[in-house]
Amino acid sequence: MARRLSVVSVSLGSSRRDHRVEVEAGGCIFSLARVGTDGDLDRAEERIRALDGTVDAIGLGGIDIYLEAAGVRYEVRDGVRLRDSARTTPVVDGSGVKATLERQAVEELAAEGVVGRGTPVLLVSALDRFGMAEAFAAAGCALACGDLMFTAGIPYPIESLEELAELARKVLPQVSRLPFGMLYPTGEAQDRPPDARFADAYRRAEVIAGDFHFIRRHLPERMDGKTVVTNTTTAEDVADLARRGVRRLVTTTPDMGGRSFGTNVIEGMAVAYLGVRPEEIGPADMRRALSSLGVRPSSRLLEVNGA
Amino acid sequence: MNQDPGGLMAALEHFAARVNGDARLRKMIADWERTIALEGSDGAGGGLRVSGGRVEVVDLPAEPDIRLRAASDILEGMFRGELSPTEPYVDGSLQVQGSQEDVLRLDFLSLMIWGE
């Protein structure tokens, strides 16, 4: 009989995006659920305490435990607090999956010729996915990282990994101690209509990549012919991207029951499947686990004016 | 923390000179039009006007876009680069009124000057 494993993602995001699905993978049946807490950190902590010991893995959505750049890891105060509120069940933020699947997604785009030398890429935030930034840079893309733009409204794209690492060194030791809701749209902020403040940066790019809530935050009305590389998209999000003219949607996590879950859910699946603590899993183990589970990025062409 | 004999206004002049002397920082504030009031708990006060990609020290503005209130040595420390705004903000010894994004931008700017 197939092993049954349960993964719950506790998210600081809007509860409007909650989702539950059962999937078969790697000879197991996974029950996957996403529970939004509308930006309420205390509620998220309570949910994690209640889930602790009752599920196989807990994912953290809408928040990171670590931010990383150029081999240096910075703990996010609120993320650590949530992780530490579970005593027995492993808690993961998806950073291990980001470092493997997102890199793989970009490498596949490069192999297909979708990106290459000089392709203008807007990576809305790179400090939560440095591996993706490295992969775009390795493919020769003209990278613009929007960390300052999308987090603090500063109209300054970061155009090299060296400058990104400098930013991380200067800013992250302090900024990672701020309430996470100041840095990232949580709760109802995720449901606000986009404002097209950085429309020029979107217009210049052929590929817009990174966290979907950041992408959506300043999404312009027209995105004709663009490629979007992201995850956590719902069917409604995909329809909206198609309506705006997005040509290709690459989700770094696979579609499950009509939406792509966050990397934290996929990492939860891997941890539950391997039955080990997250800190015991190296990149090679993660790659093997994801391969056994059949988890890989997916790419699809969208029909203009319809999903 | 070192107390500067010139007080808060000297610290603000120091901050303005650092921003105005750095092309990258000027680019980061190119679109920013704000007045910022700094109110020390001992009555010291001053202001900054950010406009046209430059920072200018002004007298305490009556109707600022951003208002920072704290002990004077905290405000001086912040604008002299001896103290990150994050720490007093998180522990409540720095009160901030203004949009969250403006506050973050100010925080990022000071960290870009003095972080590490």
Side-chain angles (χ1 to χ4, degrees):
Chain A
M1 202 165 81
R3 194 158 59 119
R4 295 193 76 89
L5 297 167
S6 174
V7 178
V8 177
S9 169
V10 177
S11 172
L12 288 181
S14 166
S15 53
R16 284 186 61 235
R17 301 173 74 87
D18 282 358
H19 192 62
R20 179 180 289 276
V21 69
E22 265 198 5
V23 296
E24 285 188 52
C28 302
I29 297 172
F30 287 89
S31 165
L32 308 175
R34 186 263 191 198
V35 180
T37 58
D38 301 309
D40 186 334
L41 200 72
D42 292 336
R43 213 166 104 207
E45 190 172 358
E46 279 168 27
R47 289 305 296 255
I48 292 169
R49 284 189 204 285
L51 288 165
D52 188 23
T54 70
V55 295
D56 297 289
I58 297 170
L60 294 185
I63 191 165
D64 297 296
I65 299 171
Y66 300 106
L67 296 172
E68 186 168 346
V72 184
R73 266 182 160 190
Y74 303 88
E75 283 192 338
V76 175
R77 191 195 59 170
D78 285 348
V80 168
R81 174 183 152 190
L82 292 182
R83 179 197 64 192
D84 292 348
S85 56
R87 288 169 182 272
T88 56
T89 302
V91 178
V92 295
D93 68 351
S95 52
V97 166
K98 283 179 188 167
T100 50
L101 273 189
E102 295 194 340
R103 197 181 283 274
Q104 180 187 341
V106 175
E107 287 165 357
E108 288 177 6
L109 284 176
E112 290 168 25
V114 176
V115 299
R117 185 150 303 281
T119 304
V121 175
L122 171 64
L123 179 54
V124 289
S125 61
L127 292 178
D128 62 334
R129 38 190 24 97
F130 196 74
M132 187 184 255
E134 285 184 317
F136 278 123
C141 298
L143 190 59
C145 301
D147 297 74
L148 290 170
M149 299 158 66
F150 287 79
T151 303
I154 297 173
Y156 183 87
I158 298 159
E159 294 178 342
S160 73
L161 296 182
E162 292 73 25
E163 192 174 15
L164 191 64
E166 179 202 354
L167 172 76
R169 281 196 312 274
K170 289 186 167 180
V171 167
L172 284 185
Q174 292 296 327
V175 164
S176 60
R177 301 170 59 215
L178 287 171
F180 201 70
M182 286 184 74
L183 305 173
Y184 180 77
T186 60
E188 63 182 22
Q190 295 185 348
D191 297 327
R192 282 187 202 134
D195 76 79
R197 177 199 280 186
F198 297 121
D200 275 355
Y202 284 83
R203 186 179 46 74
R204 279 193 296 271
E206 287 177 21
V207 176
I208 290 92
D211 180 272
F212 184 70
H213 294 295
F214 273 142
I215 291 176
R216 187 183 169 281
R217 188 180 225 178
H218 299 302
L219 197 59
E221 185 54 30
R222 297 310 311 165
M223 292 273 285
D224 297 294
K226 312 259 183 224
T227 292
V228 171
V229 184
T230 189
N231 60 25
T232 68
T233 48
T234 63
E236 194 182 329
D237 299 326
V238 176
D240 185 50
L241 292 173
R243 183 187 64 74
R244 291 171 197 264
V246 169
R247 173 73 177 137
R248 181 191 298 266
L249 174 64
V250 179
T251 51
T252 53
T253 55
D255 188 297
M256 291 176 177
R259 66 166 289 177
S260 63
F261 275 100
T263 51
N264 70 91
V265 177
I266 304 301
E267 191 162 312
M269 287 175 70
V271 166
Y273 177 75
L274 293 171
V276 295
R277 301 293 304 176
E279 56 273 19
E280 294 166 10
I281 302 177
D285 303 316
M286 182 61 75
R287 274 193 293 276
R288 272 195 297 275
L290 295 175
S291 172
S292 300
L293 293 171
V295 170
R296 53 184 321 292
S298 71
S299 174
R300 65 201 258 205
L301 296 179
L302 301 184
E303 289 177 26
V304 177
N305 298 322
Chain B
M1 195 182 313
N2 297 328
Q3 273 286 2
D4 175 64
L8 180 59
M9 294 305 268
L12 295 180
E13 293 285 2
H14 184 60
F15 176 79
R18 288 297 295 264
V19 176
N20 294 336
D22 185 320
R24 184 169 66 167
L25 293 175
R26 288 206 311 273
K27 211 168 164 183
M28 289 182 186
I29 58 169
D31 67 329
W32 216 31
E33 301 279 331
R34 296 288 186 276
T35 54
I36 304 166
L38 299 309
E39 298 177 359
S41 53
D42 63 355
L48 295 170
R49 180 182 296 125
V50 185
S51 179
R54 294 189 67 81
V55 177
E56 177 192 1
V57 179
V58 295
D59 290 335
L60 185 64
E63 293 182 14
D65 300 296
I66 309 167
R67 190 186 299 274
L68 307 182
R69 284 198 184 103
S72 295
D73 65 333
I74 289 178
L75 293 175
E76 283 179 42
M78 282 166 43
F79 286 93
R80 197 164 282 288
E82 295 164 357
L83 179 67
S84 155
T86 312
E87 199 169 324
Y89 179 77
V90 169
D91 72 20
S93 54
L94 169 67
Q95 279 97 51
V96 182
Q97 288 176 0
S99 84
Q100 190 167 284
E101 191 177 283
D102 283 343
V103 172
L104 256 186
R105 190 188 286 218
L106 194 59
D107 200 1
F108 271 74
L109 286 175
S110 65
L111 290 168
M112 290 303 288
I113 300 171
W114 290 302
E116 285 189 278

